[in-house]
Amino acid sequence: LPNLGSVRLRLTGVGENEDELQKEVLSYSQEIEELLGDLVFGYGKDTLSSVIGKIALEKGLTIGTAESCTGGMVSSKIVKTSGSSAYFQGSVTTYSNELKNRLLGVQLHTLNTHGAVSEETVKEMVIGANAHLGVDVSVAISGIAGPTGGSEEKPVGTIWIACGNESKMDTLKISAGKNREKNIEYASNYALNVLRKFLKA
C-alpha cells in the first residue's frame, strides 16, 4: 500500500488452522524485516510520529523542528500523536531568508553564498532550533516545493533535510517531483524518517 514517502505492507494467510497461519505470517514478516532492515519503522497502527514519540520518551529526549518549504507540516504530523507534549517542544517556521537569519541565526553569508535550499543552511537551522527552542534534537527542512521557483542548479523538488544535536548532524538531499502538495507531503515524511533514524542511532 504505497503512500508519499512510505509503504505499508500487508500480509495475509488463508487456511483452516489459525495458529499455524499466525506462525507462518510471523515467519514471513520477520524475513521481510531482515531484508528491509532499518526501512521498517513499525507494525500495525504505528506511524512515523508515534514511533518517534516512543523513542524520544524511552531516551528522555526533547525534539523540535525548523521548517521552511513544508510550512509546519512536519510539526503538525508530530503532534497528531497523543502525548507528544511530553517530548515535542515546538517549531519555528521561517519561510523568508530574513526570518531564517533573525529567528534561527542562519548566517547571511551562508544564505547569500549557498542559498536557502542548501545543506549548509539546514545545518545552521538545526543549530538555531536546538538553541532557541531549548531541545536536545531538531530536524530542519528547506526546499523548492514548486511548481515555480526552481533553477537549472536547483530544480523544483530539490529539498534538503538536516537533523542533529550538539555533537552530531545528519543531512539528506531528496529530489521530488513538480507537484507542490505531493512534494510537501513527501518531504515531511522523509524529514520524520530522518528524525526517527537519528533518535534510534
Side-chain angles (χ1 to χ4, degrees), residues 2-7 77 181-190:
N3 200 349
L4 291 170
S6 65
V7 176
K77 286 177 176 288
E181 290 184 1
K182 288 183 178 179
N183 286 348
I184 292 173
E185 176 73 17
Y186 182 73
S188 297
N189 285 333
Y190 254 92

Side-chain angles (χ1 to χ4, degrees), residues 34 42 58 68 86 124:
E34 288 177 6
E58 287 172 1
S68 184
E124 291 189 23

Side-chain angles (χ1 to χ4, degrees), residues 3-194:
N3 200 349
L4 291 170
S6 65
V7 176
R8 179 178 292 273
L9 300 179
R10 180 181 294 162
L11 302 182
T12 58
V14 179
E16 297 180 357
N17 190 313
E18 183 178 350
D19 289 337
E20 289 299 322
L21 283 174
Q22 288 181 343
K23 290 178 182 178
E24 190 172 359
V25 169
L26 178 60
S27 175
Y28 280 114
S29 174
Q30 292 172 339
E31 186 176 338
I32 290 172
E33 183 171 1
E34 288 177 6
L35 289 171
L36 295 179
D38 198 38
L39 292 174
V40 178
F41 64 81
Y43 289 88
K45 295 183 180 180
D46 285 340
T47 64
L48 276 170
S49 59
S50 69
V51 171
I52 285 169
K54 290 176 184 176
I55 300 171
L57 288 172
E58 287 172 1
K59 296 191 174 185
L61 298 172
T62 55
I63 59 178
T65 68
E67 302 183 56
S68 184
C69 65
T70 45
M73 182 172 278
V74 178
S75 59
S76 176
K77 286 177 176 288
I78 291 174
V79 300
K80 284 182 179 179
T81 296
S82 178
S84 55
S85 60
Y87 51 87
F88 181 69
Q89 298 296 295
S91 175
V92 182
T93 301
T94 53
Y95 216 65
S96 69
N97 284 356
E98 177 189 354
L99 288 184
K100 285 182 178 67
N101 169 250
R102 184 151 54 90
L103 298 183
L104 290 173
V106 179
Q107 298 180 47
L108 292 176
H109 174 75
T110 301
L111 292 165
N112 293 332
T113 303
H114 302 285
V117 182
S118 65
E119 181 178 25
E120 291 80 7
T121 291
V122 290
K123 287 170 74 172
E124 291 189 23
M125 288 172 69
V126 166
I127 294 170
N130 284 339
H132 293 293
L133 296 175
V135 295
D136 299 309
V137 179
S138 288
V139 61
I141 186 166
S142 184
I144 306 167
T148 60
S151 65
E152 185 175 346
E153 181 185 0
K154 297 178 183 178
V156 170
T158 301
I159 298 164
W160 274 99
I161 300 168
C163 185
N165 54 25
E166 60 180 10
S167 59
K168 180 185 174 185
M169 187 86 68
D170 290 341
T171 61
L172 175 69
K173 178 185 178 183
I174 61 176
S175 298
K178 295 185 178 181
N179 184 293
R180 184 178 184 84
E181 290 184 1
K182 288 183 178 179
N183 286 348
I184 292 173
E185 176 73 17
Y186 182 73
S188 297
N189 285 333
Y190 254 92
L192 288 176
N193 197 44
V194 169

